[in-house]
Amino acid sequence: MGLVKEEYTKPIRGADVDCSQFAPSSKTGDAISPIVLLALRMIRYKGINEFVEAAQQVRSEKPNVRFVLAGMSDDGNPNAVPVAQLEQWTKDGVVEWWGRCENMIEVIQNASIVTLPTFYPEGVHKVLIEAAEASKPLITTDRRSCREIVRDGVNGTLIRLKTAGPWPRLF
C-alpha cells in the first residue's frame, strides 16, 4: 500500500493475518458491559487461571465488565483446562466461555480489551496481531513474542509474568 518504505519493514514469523480483515472499526465494545477477551486454546500456561483471578478482582468492583474466554479445551494436553471447569466458571458468573468461535473478526471487533496473560514460551501470538490491527487496547505479559506487538503505554499494557497483584485499572 506504500505506507512504509520496504527497508523499514520485516516479516513476523508464525503469523498469517489478513490485515484488511482486522482493520479498525467504529465498534469500540459495549460501554455498559465492556468485554475483556482472552481467545486461545484453553491451556493453563497461557494464563487462563490468571485471567479468571483478574475477572474476580475486577468484577468485585465493576460487576458489569464481562470477561470472555473464546476457544476450546485441548483434550490431548495435560495442562488443558477441563470443559467441566470452563462450564463451572461460566455457571458461577466469573467468566463467559464461548467455546470455538468461527468469526474471530466479529469477536475481536466487539471486545473492549484483548488480553493474553501467557507465560508459555512460544511464537508471536496471532490474536495479539489481529487485535492490534483492529486498534483494540491490549494487556499481555512482558515477554518475548508479546513485546513485539504491544508497546507498553502506547497500544496496551505489559504486565509481569504471573503477576500476583492487581491488574491495571481497566475501567
Side-chain angles (χ1 to χ4, degrees), residues 25 27 32 52-53 71 82 85 95 118 126 129 147 163 165-166:
S25 145
K27 294 180 182 180
I32 296 170
V52 171
E53 289 172 22
Q85 178 66 72
V95 299
T118 185
K126 188 172 182 177
I129 296 170
R147 268 186 247 115
T163 296

Side-chain angles (χ1 to χ4, degrees), residues 27-29 35-37 106-114 136:
K27 294 180 182 180
T28 58
I35 293 174
V36 180
L37 174 67
E106 185 177 334
V107 171
I108 289 172
Q109 293 288 355
N110 286 312
S112 303
I113 295 173
V114 176
K136 295 298 175 177

Side-chain angles (χ1 to χ4, degrees), residues 84-156:
Q85 178 66 72
L86 296 163
E87 290 172 343
Q88 187 63 51
W89 283 332
T90 299
K91 182 180 175 187
D92 294 344
V94 178
V95 299
E96 298 172 32
W97 177 48
W98 290 0
R100 180 174 173 81
C101 297
E102 296 296 328
N103 190 352
M104 283 308 296
I105 297 166
E106 185 177 334
V107 171
I108 289 172
Q109 293 288 355
N110 286 312
S112 303
I113 295 173
V114 176
T115 185
L116 183 65
T118 185
F119 48 95
Y120 180 70
E122 55 187 308
V124 176
H125 302 276
K126 188 172 182 177
V127 72
L128 290 179
I129 296 170
E130 292 168 343
E133 193 61 35
S135 294
K136 295 298 175 177
L138 305 168
I139 299 174
T140 191
T141 43
D142 187 5
R143 58 169 295 109
R144 185 178 42 83
S145 77
C146 296
R147 268 186 247 115
E148 283 76 16
I149 307 302
V150 177
R151 300 290 179 248
D152 196 33
V154 177
N155 66 336

Side-chain angles (χ1 to χ4, degrees), residues 53-78:
E53 289 172 22
Q56 291 168 328
Q57 288 175 10
V58 172
R59 288 179 52 78
S60 69
E61 293 180 30
K62 305 274 187 181
N64 62 314
V65 179
R66 297 168 60 194
F67 282 75
V68 172
L69 293 168
M72 295 303 294
S73 184
D74 185 351
D75 294 334
N77 190 314

